[in-house]
Amino acid sequence: MEGKRFVGIDLAKRHYEACVLEEQRPIRRWSGKTDFEGRAQLARNLCAGDVVALEAGASAINLARRLMKVEGVEVVLLNPASLAIIYGSMKKTDKEDSLKLARIIQTMPKESLPIVALPSKEEEQARRLANQQMFLKQERTRMLNRLHGLFVEQGVTTITKKDLAKQKARSATLLQLSGVYRTMASQDCTLLAAIEEQIVLVNEEIHQMLCARQGEAEILMSIPGVGPVAALAFLGFIGNGDRFANASQVSYYAGLVPRVDFSGDSVHHVGHITKKGSPALRRALVQAAWSAVRTPMGSHFREVYDRIAARRGKRIAIVAVARKILELMYTLMKKHELYCYATAEQRQRKLKLYKLGSLQSGTVLNSTIGSPHAEEKRSQLCQLPIGYVHLCISS
């Protein structure tokens, strides 16, 4: 460690604070702007052998990519949720946070640091599309609720939210309102049309990204309930899964595991799921779970759902199915195999439904690539009881 400099950088919207720790030398500080010129100046202030720590975030990811271009500089992104030394402190300033970041990487071994893997540019783009799609869908739901509330306020209770789901139907129902209610409803309909137009554009970008990753998309979408949004969210937030040792780690990363309190070897309380990780990924998985339990292809998921719902309720049951789907997605991606219960005809029908028919089925199986008997082998597997198939849903 001798001769190394440890640099902690705390990022704000328009400026940053940097703190440098070096053995037998006083603490050095500098600050600057986070614009292009400020980031370039920050890169010039670094030297070969420096270790730089940043709290993970959207701005930090872009800055980390810029600083990693400096020869000999090591950049680590730290998980903010695991940095209790910063968020649990009563003294909370940018200068103090940058000093603590520098001390963390100076005193702690690298294997003990809460390091966040730097996503690739493709993964970052997929994450942004998934987040944007979730935001637009939530805004659409909010505007529909607001529009429906105007009808209820004026006493038109025969109109339901389903009647307002389509743009043509909304235009016809506005005639039942009068005065300021019709004016406000007309404005809301204009906003809704703009939001729906943006959703169409985002879905087109999702389609293009999945077409560029044909093999991975077909693996994920061979699972019942998994559509383009869930597949994109998985590719963005989980990627190829190489940084996870097993499927349970993926569930923990996504926040789909229950909270557990330990005291020694005893488990005192098991609560609701942690909800760590990406809300967009969890939302997509829950939607995929609802679709899976309602489709004839998802009979295995339906069995899990019915069994848990009878004891714990529907909400807990659907989250459990979402976790099953996530772990199955990870397993199939690691093995480069398709979902064994889905036939080629079912997969093609699903891809055609989502206008992804250009994907070529059957080209991604690990053990049957190029084999003329691939479909026959999968058909034989599908005829076996659930317990005999390795990739089945465990009970």
Side-chain angles (χ1 to χ4, degrees):
M1 292 294 193
E2 187 175 354
K4 271 194 173 184
R5 299 197 312 173
F6 300 91
V7 185
I9 300 176
D10 185 80
L11 282 177
K13 289 183 178 179
R14 296 180 178 84
H15 71 279
Y16 68 87
E17 288 287 341
C19 178
V20 181
L21 298 181
E22 193 173 2
E23 289 187 5
Q24 300 179 354
R25 291 196 178 185
I27 297 175
R28 289 182 53 204
R29 297 181 183 273
W30 75 81
S31 61
K33 295 183 178 180
T34 56
D35 56 13
F36 291 112
E37 179 56 33
R39 296 185 182 197
Q41 182 60 46
L42 172 59
R44 289 192 292 268
N45 289 340
L46 299 178
C47 305
D50 287 352
V51 182
V52 181
L54 297 162
E55 291 182 87
S59 299
I61 289 174
N62 292 325
L63 179 59
R65 287 203 180 97
R66 174 67 181 84
L67 299 181
M68 289 173 68
K69 296 179 181 179
V70 181
E71 186 176 355
V73 172
E74 180 183 0
V75 182
V76 292
L77 292 175
L78 302 179
N79 185 358
S82 301
L83 298 177
I85 189 174
I86 291 180
Y87 292 96
S89 173
M90 297 295 292
K91 189 176 182 181
K92 188 78 172 65
T93 64
D94 293 345
K95 290 185 177 180
E96 188 68 19
D97 289 351
S98 63
L99 174 60
K100 290 176 180 177
L101 286 171
R103 282 178 174 164
I104 286 173
I105 58 175
Q106 182 185 37
T107 58
M108 292 182 64
K110 188 174 181 180
E111 56 271 15
S112 300
L113 293 174
I115 295 178
V116 176
L118 184 67
S120 65
K121 290 185 178 181
E122 291 78 12
E123 290 174 346
E124 184 182 2
Q125 184 180 1
R127 292 180 183 187
R128 291 190 178 277
L129 281 177
N131 288 328
Q132 181 71 354
Q133 203 269 355
M134 179 187 72
F135 168 76
L136 291 173
K137 285 286 189 178
Q138 289 176 336
E139 285 297 299
R140 180 179 182 275
T141 301
R142 185 178 68 84
M143 292 303 301
L144 280 175
N145 291 339
R146 172 185 166 88
L147 181 60
H148 181 256
L150 293 175
F151 283 89
V152 174
E153 287 178 16
Q154 202 171 33
V156 184
T157 57
T158 56
I159 299 298
T160 65
K161 294 179 184 178
K162 289 184 178 180
D163 298 328
L164 304 173
K166 300 294 183 180
Q167 189 172 354
K168 291 183 179 180
R170 289 196 293 265
S171 301
T173 55
L174 287 182
L175 299 176
Q176 301 185 40
L177 298 177
S178 61
V180 67
Y181 289 98
R182 180 182 291 187
T183 302
M184 294 175 63
S186 177
Q187 294 171 348
D188 289 347
C189 287
T190 302
L191 292 175
L192 264 171
I195 292 173
E196 290 170 345
E197 182 179 352
Q198 293 300 314
I199 291 175
V200 172
L201 294 177
V202 170
N203 288 337
E204 289 177 356
E205 292 190 43
I206 292 174
H207 176 272
Q208 293 174 5
M209 181 166 288
L210 292 180
C211 285
R213 306 182 68 172
Q214 296 185 1
E216 295 165 313
E218 185 174 4
I219 290 175
L220 297 173
M221 292 182 63
S222 67
I223 302 172
V226 177
V229 176
L232 179 86
F234 183 92
L235 293 174
F237 292 99
I238 307 300
N240 57 16
D242 287 345
R243 67 182 188 272
F244 301 100
N246 51 56
S248 297
Q249 286 188 2
V250 179
S251 296
Y252 180 82
Y253 173 81
L256 289 174
V257 297
R259 291 186 177 93
V260 180
D261 293 332
F262 289 95
S263 178
D265 295 330
S266 302
V267 180
H268 284 280
H269 176 70
V270 178
H272 296 290
I273 59 173
T274 63
K275 292 187 178 180
K276 292 183 178 180
S278 167
L281 176 60
R282 285 194 303 277
R283 175 186 172 92
L285 289 170
V286 170
Q287 290 177 340
W290 280 118
S291 179
V293 299
R294 291 167 178 165
T295 180
M297 290 175 57
S299 58
H300 310 298
F301 297 106
R302 184 73 196 191
E303 292 174 5
V304 175
Y305 173 80
D306 290 339
R307 187 182 69 252
I308 299 177
R311 297 184 293 107
R312 306 292 303 278
K314 295 181 179 180
R315 297 181 63 181
I316 293 179
I318 203 63
V319 172
V321 174
R323 178 179 176 180
K324 294 286 187 183
I325 290 177
L326 174 62
E327 294 184 357
L328 182 60
M329 293 168 78
Y330 168 80
T331 302
L332 295 181
M333 282 289 290
K334 293 292 287 184
K335 292 179 176 290
H336 299 283
E337 294 180 358
L338 298 169
Y339 183 63
C340 65
Y341 293 106
T343 65
E345 181 183 357
Q346 291 171 331
R347 292 197 305 272
Q348 286 298 329
R349 191 186 307 121
K350 183 176 182 180
L351 295 175
K352 185 177 181 180
L353 174 66
Y354 291 112
K355 299 181 180 179
L356 291 167
S358 60
L359 303 188
Q360 296 182 3
S361 175
T363 61
V364 291
L365 285 181
N366 190 18
S367 59
T368 57
I369 292 178
S371 171
H373 305 294
E375 292 300 331
E376 181 182 352
K377 292 180 179 179
R378 284 197 297 274
S379 177
Q380 292 173 356
L381 282 175
C382 294
Q383 295 174 4
L384 294 175
I386 296 177
Y388 289 100
V389 183
H390 177 69
L391 294 176
C392 69
I393 304 301
S394 62
S395 58

